[in-house]
Amino acid sequence: MTRPERGATAPRTWRKPPFIANPWLRYGAWLLLAGYLVWAFGTLPFNWERIGEGLPRAARIFGGGFPPSFQRADLLLTGFKESFQIAILATLLGVLLSIPFAVMAAKNIVPRPVYLVGRAVIIVSRSFHPVIVAILFVAAVGFGPLAGILTLTVYSIGFVGKLLAEEIEEIDWGQVEAMRATGAGYLATLFYAVFPQILPRQVGLSMYQLDSNLRASAVVGIVGAGGIGGTLMNAFGRYDYDFAFAILLIIIAVILVSEGISGWVRKKIW
Amino acid sequence: MVDHSQALADRVWRRYDRKQRLTRYAVMLVTLMVVVWAVRDIDIFWPWVWDAPNQISSLGARMWPPDPSGLGQILAAMVETVHIATLATLLTILIALPVSYIAAQNTTPNRACLWLGRFILVSSRSVNTIIWALLFVAIFGPGVLAGILAIMFRSIGFIGKLMGEAIEEIDRRPVEAMEATGASKLKVIAYAVVPQVMPAFFAIVILRWDINIRESTVLGLVGAGGIGVILQGAIDTFAWPTVATILIAIIALVLIGEAITGLLRRKVI
Amino acid sequence: MLEISKLVKRYGRDEPVLKELDLTVEGSSVVSIVGASGAGKSTMLRCINRLVEPTSGSIRLNGTELVALKGAALRRARRKIGMVFQGFNLIDRLTVMENVLAGRLGYVNLYQAISRRYPREDIERAFTLMERVGIAHYANKRADALSGGERQRVGVVRALMQEPEVLLADEPTASLDPRTSEQIMILLQSLASELSLPVLINIHNVAQARTYTERIVGLRHGKMIFDGAPDDFTRDALDAIYGGIESPEEEPVAPANPPPAQRDRGLPHDAT
């Protein structure tokens, strides 16, 4: 401890001021984290016996998986074709439907009750992971690509609708005022003052959504909604690990290519 | 009056010129053809499509009213879901940071490390969480460990890629200044890199935690723990009112997660 | 004829922005409305075409009461009131021609609006007006590619496309450089006489108000405190409008280098 009366000869100390100034809060945060970790690891049901078998199993799976087998290429092709079709149709439907929902969910251009309805639709469709939605649609309309299309349409409405609504809320209001001043009606104002301003964003989002629908179409198949995911699930279930790994590799390749294309198109249009 | 009509004829106005119009028609035609192909070729039994609204509303009717009897069990599963997401996010940080360091152009030690880092990021990002979960359930059996690992393996790519980009965008000058003082590599990182990427780091981790909450709700559908296990069970036994309760609980969880991340973003960043 | 009487506008529970304002504009006169920021100039103009809802009072345009109008009737009234904005408010991503034709939105139906199939007379009118203000060669350029003065010309033409019975201009020159803003003022002045159209211009620049308009209305705290010819607009009136608040952009007294138009008209009589 240095005391001021020691004067100029006193050794001066300096410490970095802590990130959180209040020491109680600082140590409290660490304590909280430690407590959380103990609680979480303590209560989670780990089946250590079964986990112990993991390594030999992993060896068997990867041993059986290499080299990947492309022998059933026709099955692979059918699965991917269906995934593409699901992604394309769902993107088209989803993007078209997302426009009215985005308008409804934009605070600045609709009355409050309409806004609340639009917002609720978007929140609900965004809250559920596509796989959960897919399970419900499979239960409602049966196995197959129809459930996949419906699922990804809902998914697209949630995602594109939300971002588009935010874009609408940030438009330059002067253009809307100018159109109103000419005596234009509500829809004409929408088409002249609102849509041109959000168009570049809309096109970019559509491309992005096509890409993410293609990704998602690979997983909704796991719960029976059509596409390559179903083929993958079957291969896994029958311990056909070499075929499963072949499917995985192709999925990765397709995703990389589609990401590249969608990024390129978005850059072009911007 | 000839003059006048001539003037009018010259003054035809079109939104697009000839070339623009042709390009637009070509793009539209290609899109239309792809859509027609998809509609005609897809393996859908069309009468089911027209019946779909009925089926969906009848499913909705079977779900109403939600059955709250299993609420205790559902809440316990919710806590498990949050645990999976949180633990996986925390563990991911430990792995993603070094990977992002070697995958960033300006900090990577050498080209081999750069490509290794990029390979890890791409393979992690290209495989969906559910597919990772499928793999880990096959290896370690059904349970939360498979779920945590699945979320981790997907998040490494996400956090690693965004952190790598954040590192690539840092201001070079402080790094040079630190190097000029004769500081070692690690000291340069601690003084010139870490302070610059700190805000991005918090933002990215918070964002991913939010996403992981959503993702961990579905892990159970392939047996990897969390609320999904109960949801799958309820669907398999056609306990639709319970399904409705679970769905409402998931919406609540996601909204609470969003509120927390919003709060963290304002407090921390 | 535009008659405003006892116009009151109050936002929420605050002090009213406009306090029982009366104003009558007849024939094809160009009226400038001066006043400090917050005096209620912009609110008054926006009350006329109901971009802002008046709290009470009456606004009549050629006998039609505007305050009570709703829905389609309001839109029909609006198309007879042209408006030019300070920030131009063009639709940046559309071409100049589309922006100009947007002035006809109150007349065409939705299909025509969306497919851009405007009646031939509208296109003819658009070309004539664009030629008149010198922007016809920009017809197929995007609006955001133009300079400020050109953009404001597009804004003026768009307003004139409405075949308005009155033209409102809300600080039409405030975003422009001095030279361009004079050109726009001259344009508004001459268009008013060519089309025998009454024009109301909100303006911050008192020198321009004196030079280019026939009548000056001064507002302060939502009340009219001056109404008269530019020659009667004395130093006292200026002080009454702006005194103690802020100085106007350009004082009419003893400018170091008065614009030529002003010199022609003779120096203001209160010049020292």
Side-chain angles (χ1 to χ4, degrees), chain B:
Chain B
M1 279 296 94
V2 181
D3 268 342
H4 188 61
S5 64
Q6 186 58 43
L8 266 181
D10 285 346
R11 285 177 171 191
V12 175
W13 172 78
R14 284 238 169 79
R15 171 71 175 85
Y16 300 102
D17 64 31
R18 194 186 173 79
K19 198 178 151 208
Q20 282 174 317
R21 248 179 305 147
L22 286 178
T23 323
R24 283 169 66 90
Y25 286 143
V27 170
M28 279 183 208
L29 191 71
V30 170
T31 315
L32 193 73
M33 275 161 55
V34 170
V35 170
V36 167
W37 166 73
V39 169
R40 295 186 54 136
D41 191 68
I42 197 163
D43 180 23
I44 285 181
F45 185 56
W46 289 97
W48 284 6
V49 177
W50 316 131
D51 196 35
N54 287 333
Q55 296 296 337
I56 292 168
S57 57
S58 100
L59 183 70
R62 269 176 279 160
M63 283 188 188
W64 196 258
D67 170 20
S69 61
L71 203 61
Q73 201 196 355
I74 292 171
L75 286 181
M78 281 296 185
V79 173
E80 193 178 295
T81 309
V82 175
H83 282 337
I84 293 174
T86 312
L87 290 178
T89 311
L90 290 176
L91 292 171
T92 303
I93 296 172
L94 300 179
I95 303 171
L97 287 184
V99 174
S100 67
Y101 181 77
I102 62 166
Q105 291 249 11
N106 49 348
T107 53
T108 187
N110 53 49
R111 299 215 59 84
C113 283
L114 180 69
W115 286 108
L116 174 68
R118 286 189 174 171
F119 173 75
I120 296 174
L121 296 185
V122 164
S123 44
S124 155
R125 273 174 350 103
S126 310
V127 179
N128 196 288
T129 308
I130 291 281
I131 298 178
W132 280 119
L134 215 55
L135 189 68
F136 285 117
V137 167
I139 294 176
F140 293 110
V144 286
L145 181 69
I148 292 177
L149 287 174
I151 299 263
M152 269 178 70
F153 270 67
R154 174 67 182 82
S155 305
I156 288 170
F158 183 90
I159 296 183
K161 176 172 188 260
L162 293 179
M163 276 309 286
E165 282 167 4
I167 293 175
E168 281 174 359
E169 276 165 20
I170 62 169
D171 187 353
R172 270 257 356 122
R173 287 167 300 183
V175 179
E176 276 172 358
M178 286 305 107
E179 281 169 352
T181 65
S184 71
K185 196 100 192 163
L186 278 175
K187 289 173 188 154
V188 173
I189 296 173
Y191 271 82
V193 179
V194 171
Q196 290 197 57
V197 298
M198 219 43 180
F201 170 73
F202 281 118
I204 293 164
V205 170
I206 291 169
L207 173 63
R208 188 63 217 186
W209 181 73
D210 189 19
I211 298 174
N212 282 348
I213 292 266
R214 277 165 223 251
E215 301 240 287
S216 58
T217 58
V218 296
L219 290 171
L221 300 177
V222 292
I227 186 77
V229 178
I230 301 184
L231 179 62
Q232 183 79 73
I235 289 175
D236 286 346
T237 53
F238 304 109
W240 297 112
T242 310
V243 171
T245 315
I246 296 172
L247 293 181
I248 293 170
I250 289 177
I251 294 186
L253 176 70
V254 169
L255 290 183
I256 292 170
E258 250 174 32
I260 292 175
T261 52
L263 190 77
L264 283 177
R265 255 178 226 136
R266 257 173 288 133
K267 289 273 170 193
V268 179
I269 302 165

Side-chain angles (χ1 to χ4, degrees), chain C residues 206-226:
Chain C
V206 175
Q208 284 181 355
R210 297 173 59 112
T211 315
Y212 299 109
T213 63
E214 296 145 25
R215 177 177 165 196
I216 296 181
V217 170
L219 291 189
R220 177 164 182 161
H221 297 321
K223 281 193 177 133
M224 194 195 293
I225 58 169
F226 178 87

Side-chain angles (χ1 to χ4, degrees), chain A residues 210-222:
Chain A
L210 182 61
D211 179 33
S212 55
N213 278 348
L214 193 58
R215 281 161 188 263
S217 74
V219 295
V220 294
I222 289 176

Side-chain angles (χ1 to χ4, degrees), chain C residues 60 95 142 271:
Chain C
R60 298 166 76 84
T95 60
R142 256 171 67 150

Side-chain angles (χ1 to χ4, degrees), chain C residues 9-27:
Chain C
K9 172 63 193 176
R10 176 199 288 265
Y11 290 101
R13 321 197 59 179
D14 297 342
E15 170 105 344
V17 183
L18 297 176
K19 299 164 190 158
E20 306 225 327
L21 201 71
D22 296 303
L23 176 67
T24 305
V25 180
E26 284 179 276

